[in-house]
Amino acid sequence: MNAYIRLGRIEDAHQLFKEMPEPNVVSWTSLMAGHIDAGQPKVALWLLGSMAWSLVVPNAFTFATIVNACSILADLNTGKRVHAQVEIFGFQCNLVVCSSLIDMYGKSNDVDGARRVFDLMGFKNIVSWSSMITAYTQNARGHDALEVFRKFNNSSLDRPNHFMLASVVNACASLGRLVIGKVAHGAVIRGGNDSNDVVATALVDMYAKCGCLDYSNKVFHKIHNPSTIPYTSMIVGAAKYGLGKLSLELFQEMIQRGINPNDVTFLGVLHACSHSGLVNEGLEHLNSMYNNHGIVPDTKHYTCVVDMLGRTGRLDEAYIIAKSIQVKPDEGALLWGTLLSTSRLHGRMDITFEASKWLIESNQQVATAYVTMSNTYALAGRWENVHKTRSEMKLNGVSKEPGCSWIEIKDFTYIFYAGDVSSCPRGSEVIGLLKELERRMRERGYIGGSEGLVFVDVEEETKEEMVGLHSERLALCFGLISVAKGLTIRVMKNLRMCRDCHEAFKLISEIVKREFVVRDVNRFHHFKDGSCTCRDFW
């Protein structure tokens, strides 16, 4: 039977199993594992139910196998029932079973359940530690993943393997934690895992997401035969850095080497065209997806196209595409949110209100829709509509997400909130430097304030004060007094960087003769000598 399973002849293996007069636990478990390997995890679960009617008692390997089936299916309810049987049969302390349970809970988006299993384990090996770190990383809890990694380093004699290191690097990528990412890279090299494709791909992605495209490029070119995933990471990274032509060159190189792109690769390509103003090239790539590669464009791809057309002022075409695509509310949120942003940018109030209406009625990005409507009315001087919109927001309990930026210095993250000076580290020094930079910027012709960023009719002086205390400015000034000269200051932000702060950062980079990299919700901005890599197109 095992021979049939290894040869991939699962039906023959199953037939032979049926002919066994009294199959034992090894036979049952082997057949379950065979069906899982054949992509039939539901059959494995059915076999467990059938096994319950026999006199055969499952062992630890049986439960580990079945938990793996639940993990593949992300079937939390069945997984919990299997976990109950694990407790009943007394395998709750088994290392292999517990590691499988951690993985199952993690892939079923119940990371707290995974942590409960992990904490109750008397002994943990490299697999259980890796499973817990991976569970946190996959569920967007990178801080917890790094904390578990620290505990592993402090309490275990084992060296991290490539699975663990890849998860740690992915956690650093999601958080933009460059310092810890570099420490993890050092561990990769010391452990001889730098030639591992999985780890190398994670490093390419991490450096790209932390704004170090040069490092990303170096790691990428050390991969002997890069596959689709590392190529895609480089394409997306270059696109978000405003290097659209580099993204397209990488894509062409990939095709010439006979490497098939996937749907994510095309998202990177379309994103590159969008952020570089390459509209015709972008439309050609959209059409080639199915015609040349058999990939059907989905809502995310059309969202990139809407963004691409909208940025260049072709709002009517973008609107037609958005209207022509039938999407569910959750899928259409990004599409209509993108149209909302670009239409406001170009002063198309008709499309702005249409997009806002769609989002509000679909209960998607409601705060963004209301805020954009309010700002659009403010730009037009229609203050009665501004106050009415604000009243509706309060009545419906809608609040705008507060601006937040953070900066990492020596393995510690400092967080800054818009307008919050009281909690700002080294607050008096930061405000003092901010005022000095404002003065020097005005000497160069800088005009403070920011059109469209306020919700009520306020005095110009108040506008300038509000914008001047945006979180990224506080983070930058803290970086200027805390990061040694010669080092690039890297700021992360949870929202899109406003145009006024963008102009200020360009001037400040020229005044202080330093480089800054800002990662906002959309892309990277690399400021140097009074200019930005986005070339004011973002």
Side-chain angles (χ1 to χ4, degrees), residues 1 4-5 9-19 31 35 40 43 46-47:
M1 189 177 74
Y4 280 132
I5 291 172
R9 295 168 61 177
I10 190 63
E11 300 303 328
D12 292 327
H14 205 132
Q15 182 60 40
L16 186 60
F17 174 82
K18 289 179 179 178
E19 295 173 3
L31 188 60
H35 278 288
Q40 300 169 356
V43 178
W46 176 82
L47 283 168

mmCIF file of all heavy atoms in Angstrom, residues 1 4-5 9-19 31 35 40 43 46-47:
data_model
loop_
_atom_site.group_PDB
_atom_site.id
_atom_site.type_symbol
_atom_site.label_atom_id
_atom_site.label_comp_id
_atom_site.label_asym_id
_atom_site.label_seq_id
_atom_site.Cartn_x
_atom_site.Cartn_y
_atom_site.Cartn_z
ATOM 1 N N MET A 1 0.823 -1.201 0.000
ATOM 2 C CA MET A 1 0.000 0.000 0.000
ATOM 3 C C MET A 1 0.864 1.259 0.000
ATOM 4 O O MET A 1 0.580 2.222 -0.719
ATOM 5 C CB MET A 1 -0.935 0.002 1.223
ATOM 6 C CG MET A 1 -1.977 1.109 1.166
ATOM 7 S SD MET A 1 -3.126 1.067 2.560
ATOM 8 C CE MET A 1 -2.052 1.675 3.864
ATOM 9 N N TYR A 4 2.181 2.020 -3.477
ATOM 10 C CA TYR A 4 1.204 2.692 -4.327
ATOM 11 C C TYR A 4 1.114 4.184 -3.973
ATOM 12 O O TYR A 4 1.017 5.055 -4.844
ATOM 13 C CB TYR A 4 -0.182 2.051 -4.168
ATOM 14 C CG TYR A 4 -0.368 0.771 -4.950
ATOM 15 C CD1 TYR A 4 -0.912 -0.367 -4.349
ATOM 16 C CD2 TYR A 4 -0.033 0.714 -6.299
ATOM 17 C CE1 TYR A 4 -1.108 -1.551 -5.065
ATOM 18 C CE2 TYR A 4 -0.215 -0.461 -7.033
ATOM 19 C CZ TYR A 4 -0.747 -1.583 -6.412
ATOM 20 O OH TYR A 4 -0.928 -2.739 -7.124
ATOM 21 N N ILE A 5 1.132 4.472 -2.652
ATOM 22 C CA ILE A 5 1.034 5.862 -2.195
ATOM 23 C C ILE A 5 2.219 6.671 -2.690
ATOM 24 O O ILE A 5 2.066 7.790 -3.194
ATOM 25 C CB ILE A 5 0.927 5.919 -0.652
ATOM 26 C CG1 ILE A 5 -0.423 5.350 -0.193
ATOM 27 C CG2 ILE A 5 1.106 7.358 -0.155
ATOM 28 C CD1 ILE A 5 -0.557 5.189 1.308
ATOM 29 N N ARG A 9 -0.415 6.543 -6.754
ATOM 30 C CA ARG A 9 -1.584 5.758 -7.197
ATOM 31 C C ARG A 9 -2.512 5.539 -6.004
ATOM 32 O O ARG A 9 -2.656 4.434 -5.465
ATOM 33 C CB ARG A 9 -1.120 4.443 -7.807
ATOM 34 C CG ARG A 9 -0.311 4.648 -9.087
ATOM 35 C CD ARG A 9 0.407 3.382 -9.538
ATOM 36 N NE ARG A 9 -0.509 2.290 -9.827
ATOM 37 C CZ ARG A 9 -0.130 1.094 -10.294
ATOM 38 N NH1 ARG A 9 1.177 0.882 -10.541
ATOM 39 N NH2 ARG A 9 -1.009 0.145 -10.527
ATOM 40 N N ILE A 10 -3.132 6.612 -5.551
ATOM 41 C CA ILE A 10 -3.899 6.597 -4.313
ATOM 42 C C ILE A 10 -5.141 5.712 -4.417
ATOM 43 O O ILE A 10 -5.543 5.059 -3.436
ATOM 44 C CB ILE A 10 -4.285 8.036 -3.892
ATOM 45 C CG1 ILE A 10 -4.878 8.046 -2.480
ATOM 46 C CG2 ILE A 10 -5.240 8.672 -4.893
ATOM 47 C CD1 ILE A 10 -3.907 7.599 -1.410
ATOM 48 N N GLU A 11 -5.750 5.644 -5.604
ATOM 49 C CA GLU A 11 -6.943 4.800 -5.748
ATOM 50 C C GLU A 11 -6.588 3.323 -5.587
ATOM 51 O O GLU A 11 -7.347 2.553 -4.972
ATOM 52 C CB GLU A 11 -7.603 5.047 -7.117
ATOM 53 C CG GLU A 11 -8.064 6.487 -7.336
ATOM 54 C CD GLU A 11 -9.040 6.945 -6.263
ATOM 55 O OE1 GLU A 11 -9.812 6.095 -5.762
ATOM 56 O OE2 GLU A 11 -9.031 8.139 -5.924
ATOM 57 N N ASP A 12 -5.447 2.937 -6.150
ATOM 58 C CA ASP A 12 -4.998 1.541 -5.979
ATOM 59 C C ASP A 12 -4.690 1.268 -4.517
ATOM 60 O O ASP A 12 -4.982 0.178 -3.995
ATOM 61 C CB ASP A 12 -3.762 1.276 -6.839
ATOM 62 C CG ASP A 12 -4.074 1.295 -8.329
ATOM 63 O OD1 ASP A 12 -5.192 0.905 -8.705
ATOM 64 O OD2 ASP A 12 -3.196 1.709 -9.113
ATOM 65 N N ALA A 13 -4.083 2.229 -3.841
ATOM 66 C CA ALA A 13 -3.765 2.063 -2.422
ATOM 67 C C ALA A 13 -5.053 1.896 -1.616
ATOM 68 O O ALA A 13 -5.131 1.051 -0.700
ATOM 69 C CB ALA A 13 -2.975 3.273 -1.919
ATOM 70 N N HIS A 14 -6.060 2.685 -1.959
ATOM 71 C CA HIS A 14 -7.330 2.617 -1.237
ATOM 72 C C HIS A 14 -8.015 1.270 -1.469
ATOM 73 O O HIS A 14 -8.598 0.673 -0.541
ATOM 74 C CB HIS A 14 -8.252 3.755 -1.686
ATOM 75 C CG HIS A 14 -9.270 4.135 -0.657
ATOM 76 N ND1 HIS A 14 -9.518 5.422 -0.289
ATOM 77 C CD2 HIS A 14 -10.115 3.381 0.094
ATOM 78 C CE1 HIS A 14 -10.458 5.457 0.636
ATOM 79 N NE2 HIS A 14 -10.842 4.212 0.884
ATOM 80 N N GLN A 15 -7.936 0.778 -2.704
ATOM 81 C CA GLN A 15 -8.542 -0.506 -3.011
ATOM 82 C C GLN A 15 -7.861 -1.628 -2.231
ATOM 83 O O GLN A 15 -8.528 -2.522 -1.691
ATOM 84 C CB GLN A 15 -8.452 -0.777 -4.520
ATOM 85 C CG GLN A 15 -9.093 -2.086 -4.960
ATOM 86 C CD GLN A 15 -10.568 -2.162 -4.625
ATOM 87 O OE1 GLN A 15 -11.298 -1.167 -4.758
ATOM 88 N NE2 GLN A 15 -11.030 -3.337 -4.177
ATOM 89 N N LEU A 16 -6.542 -1.569 -2.152
ATOM 90 C CA LEU A 16 -5.786 -2.575 -1.403
ATOM 91 C C LEU A 16 -6.141 -2.517 0.074
ATOM 92 O O LEU A 16 -6.259 -3.553 0.751
ATOM 93 C CB LEU A 16 -4.283 -2.339 -1.603
ATOM 94 C CG LEU A 16 -3.338 -3.391 -1.010
ATOM 95 C CD1 LEU A 16 -3.603 -4.759 -1.626
ATOM 96 C CD2 LEU A 16 -1.887 -2.995 -1.243
ATOM 97 N N PHE A 17 -6.336 -1.291 0.587
ATOM 98 C CA PHE A 17 -6.718 -1.112 1.990
ATOM 99 C C PHE A 17 -8.059 -1.801 2.267
ATOM 100 O O PHE A 17 -8.239 -2.462 3.298
ATOM 101 C CB PHE A 17 -6.810 0.387 2.301
ATOM 102 C CG PHE A 17 -7.325 0.696 3.670
ATOM 103 C CD1 PHE A 17 -6.480 0.657 4.779
ATOM 104 C CD2 PHE A 17 -8.668 1.036 3.874
ATOM 105 C CE1 PHE A 17 -6.966 0.942 6.046
ATOM 106 C CE2 PHE A 17 -9.146 1.317 5.136
ATOM 107 C CZ PHE A 17 -8.291 1.273 6.233
ATOM 108 N N LYS A 18 -9.010 -1.657 1.327
ATOM 109 C CA LYS A 18 -10.320 -2.272 1.500
ATOM 110 C C LYS A 18 -10.240 -3.794 1.555
ATOM 111 O O LYS A 18 -11.070 -4.460 2.188
ATOM 112 C CB LYS A 18 -11.247 -1.864 0.349
ATOM 113 C CG LYS A 18 -11.691 -0.407 0.383
ATOM 114 C CD LYS A 18 -12.592 -0.099 -0.802
ATOM 115 C CE LYS A 18 -13.071 1.340 -0.792
ATOM 116 N NZ LYS A 18 -13.913 1.650 -1.984
ATOM 117 N N GLU A 19 -9.221 -4.351 0.873
ATOM 118 C CA GLU A 19 -9.072 -5.812 0.822
ATOM 119 C C GLU A 19 -8.378 -6.371 2.057
ATOM 120 O O GLU A 19 -8.295 -7.594 2.227
ATOM 121 C CB GLU A 19 -8.287 -6.195 -0.432
ATOM 122 C CG GLU A 19 -9.041 -5.851 -1.729
ATOM 123 C CD GLU A 19 -8.201 -6.072 -2.969
ATOM 124 O OE1 GLU A 19 -7.039 -6.543 -2.821
ATOM 125 O OE2 GLU A 19 -8.678 -5.769 -4.081
ATOM 126 N N LEU A 31 -2.944 5.580 4.853
ATOM 127 C CA LEU A 31 -3.919 5.919 3.818
ATOM 128 C C LEU A 31 -4.396 7.374 3.969
ATOM 129 O O LEU A 31 -4.571 8.086 2.978
ATOM 130 C CB LEU A 31 -5.109 4.967 3.881
ATOM 131 C CG LEU A 31 -6.111 5.092 2.731
ATOM 132 C CD1 LEU A 31 -5.436 4.817 1.386
ATOM 133 C CD2 LEU A 31 -7.291 4.147 2.932
ATOM 134 N N HIS A 35 -3.940 10.301 1.069
ATOM 135 C CA HIS A 35 -4.991 11.149 0.496
ATOM 136 C C HIS A 35 -4.660 12.634 0.675
ATOM 137 O O HIS A 35 -4.972 13.449 -0.198
ATOM 138 C CB HIS A 35 -6.344 10.824 1.135
ATOM 139 C CG HIS A 35 -7.009 9.629 0.518
ATOM 140 N ND1 HIS A 35 -7.557 9.655 -0.747
ATOM 141 C CD2 HIS A 35 -7.199 8.360 0.992
ATOM 142 C CE1 HIS A 35 -8.075 8.467 -1.030
ATOM 143 N NE2 HIS A 35 -7.875 7.658 0.008
ATOM 144 N N GLN A 40 -6.369 15.463 -1.216
ATOM 145 C CA GLN A 40 -7.726 15.070 -0.828
ATOM 146 C C GLN A 40 -7.863 15.032 0.702
ATOM 147 O O GLN A 40 -8.132 13.984 1.296
ATOM 148 C CB GLN A 40 -8.052 13.691 -1.411
ATOM 149 C CG GLN A 40 -7.980 13.626 -2.926
ATOM 150 C CD GLN A 40 -8.053 12.209 -3.453
ATOM 151 O OE1 GLN A 40 -8.090 11.229 -2.688
ATOM 152 N NE2 GLN A 40 -8.062 12.060 -4.770
ATOM 153 N N VAL A 43 -11.077 13.521 2.276
ATOM 154 C CA VAL A 43 -11.162 12.054 2.326
ATOM 155 C C VAL A 43 -10.464 11.545 3.584
ATOM 156 O O VAL A 43 -10.932 10.596 4.227
ATOM 157 C CB VAL A 43 -10.535 11.428 1.064
ATOM 158 C CG1 VAL A 43 -10.584 9.900 1.149
ATOM 159 C CG2 VAL A 43 -11.248 11.903 -0.191
ATOM 160 N N TRP A 46 -12.799 11.904 6.379
ATOM 161 C CA TRP A 46 -13.825 10.854 6.290
ATOM 162 C C TRP A 46 -13.284 9.521 6.819
ATOM 163 O O TRP A 46 -13.996 8.784 7.508
ATOM 164 C CB TRP A 46 -14.261 10.713 4.832
ATOM 165 C CG TRP A 46 -15.246 9.596 4.612
ATOM 166 C CD1 TRP A 46 -16.576 9.625 4.815
ATOM 167 C CD2 TRP A 46 -14.928 8.270 4.170
ATOM 168 N NE1 TRP A 46 -17.150 8.404 4.528
ATOM 169 C CE2 TRP A 46 -16.147 7.552 4.130
ATOM 170 C CE3 TRP A 46 -13.752 7.625 3.810
ATOM 171 C CZ2 TRP A 46 -16.211 6.226 3.743
ATOM 172 C CZ3 TRP A 46 -13.822 6.295 3.415
ATOM 173 C CH2 TRP A 46 -15.041 5.603 3.385
ATOM 174 N N LEU A 47 -12.014 9.244 6.506
ATOM 175 C CA LEU A 47 -11.396 8.006 6.991
ATOM 176 C C LEU A 47 -11.309 7.978 8.514
ATOM 177 O O LEU A 47 -11.481 6.927 9.138
ATOM 178 C CB LEU A 47 -9.994 7.852 6.389
ATOM 179 C CG LEU A 47 -9.928 7.395 4.933
ATOM 180 C CD1 LEU A 47 -8.514 7.557 4.382
ATOM 181 C CD2 LEU A 47 -10.384 5.936 4.811
#
